[in-house]
Each structure stands twice: as structure tokens, then as C-alpha cells.
Amino acid sequence: MDAIDRDILRELQRDGRLSNQELAQRVGLTPSPCMRRVRQLEKDGVIQGYRAVIDPEAVGRSFEVLVSVEVKRDREVVEEFEAALQDIPDVVEAHRLFGSPGCLLRIAVEDLRAYERLWIEKLTALSGVTEVNSQIIMKRIKEPVGLPVDES
């Protein structure tokens, strides 16, 4: 990956809806080689997809909670827990961690009542869960904007 590929990645992280022509202009290429590079980055799995960033309030999910979960340390139980998380749309991010807690979730729901219902009906009911701790997000200080793409 060279400096132009890194420029392409930076620009697409800022605005994934750039036309190929605009992207090419920003990175100093003509459209055809720019498109080839983007397609190659996609083929190589460097670019994994394109998404819209949605205002949580606009879709009724402005109540966010970080949840640490302890799961029984058994391979089958952990795999079953992770598979079950895929079926809970309110869990918008999930990370398995080294050490304790074993898992960190980011949950987005409408309000405290919706979170309480999720906590009671789903989170604590998942197989192998031994502990659930919640931290309610007061304010987002820094939004995710993509990964730094440094020169190597």
C-alpha cells in the first residue's frame, strides 16, 4: 500500500459517498486508475464496506449503555453467548476482551425503561452469563470517524 492508497482510504473514511471523479481529483489521479485502486482495496479486504452514519435520536435509539458482561469461561458457552448476541439488534457493538470483564457491549435503545426490559428479558437470560454491569453514557465526547491511516 502506497501513499496514494492511504490518501484514498482517508478520503473515503471522511466521505464514503464521494464520486470516483471527486475522489480521483482529491488524491491526484485520473478517474480510471483511481477506480482500479479502490476496487483493489475492496478486493483485498482493506475496504470492508460503506455505511451511512445515522443520528440515534432520529431512529429512537439515543439512550446508550456500555455493558460489561462476565460469561462462564467455557468455549462452548462463550460461542453460544456470542452467537446469541447476533440476534439482539439493540446490541450495536460487542467485543470479547482479555481478562475481566470478558465482554463489552454497546447498546442503543429508546430509554431507560427499554434498557431495563432488555437487561431483564435478554442479557441476564443469556446462557453462561454470570454478571452484568451497566454504565449509562452521559455524553459522546468523540464520535467514531474511522481509523488513522498513517504513512509507513
Side-chain angles (χ1 to χ4, degrees), residues 85-111:
L85 288 179
Q86 304 302 317
D87 296 328
I88 304 174
D90 302 318
V91 176
V92 295
E93 278 184 67
H95 304 274
R96 187 189 315 166
L97 307 175
F98 286 105
S100 188
C103 190
L104 182 64
L105 312 176
R106 185 167 66 93
I107 292 174
V109 291
E110 183 178 3
D111 55 20

Side-chain angles (χ1 to χ4, degrees), residues 83-143:
L85 288 179
Q86 304 302 317
D87 296 328
I88 304 174
D90 302 318
V91 176
V92 295
E93 278 184 67
H95 304 274
R96 187 189 315 166
L97 307 175
F98 286 105
S100 188
C103 190
L104 182 64
L105 312 176
R106 185 167 66 93
I107 292 174
V109 291
E110 183 178 3
D111 55 20
L112 180 59
R113 181 173 283 131
Y115 177 64
E116 180 182 17
R117 195 169 41 255
L118 175 73
W119 192 91
I120 290 168
E121 295 174 6
K122 297 201 176 157
L123 295 179
T124 58
L126 290 171
S127 176
V129 170
T130 60
E131 189 174 335
V132 178
N133 292 299
S134 309
Q135 280 85 40
I136 298 170
I137 296 175
M138 180 188 305
K139 172 186 172 184
R140 280 188 179 205
I141 297 169
K142 184 176 181 181
E143 296 286 332

Side-chain angles (χ1 to χ4, degrees), residues 10-49:
R10 275 190 284 276
E11 292 298 331
L12 287 176
Q13 282 191 121
R14 281 188 204 109
D15 183 356
R17 292 187 55 149
L18 284 174
S19 69
N20 182 58
Q21 183 142 351
E22 178 66 24
L23 177 61
Q25 190 173 22
R26 289 186 185 188
V27 300
L29 292 174
T30 58
S32 186
C34 183
M35 181 58 75
R36 277 195 299 276
R37 283 176 178 259
V38 170
R39 295 289 181 243
Q40 189 63 49
L41 289 165
E42 291 170 345
K43 181 180 172 203
D44 293 344
V46 177
I47 296 174
Q48 296 180 346

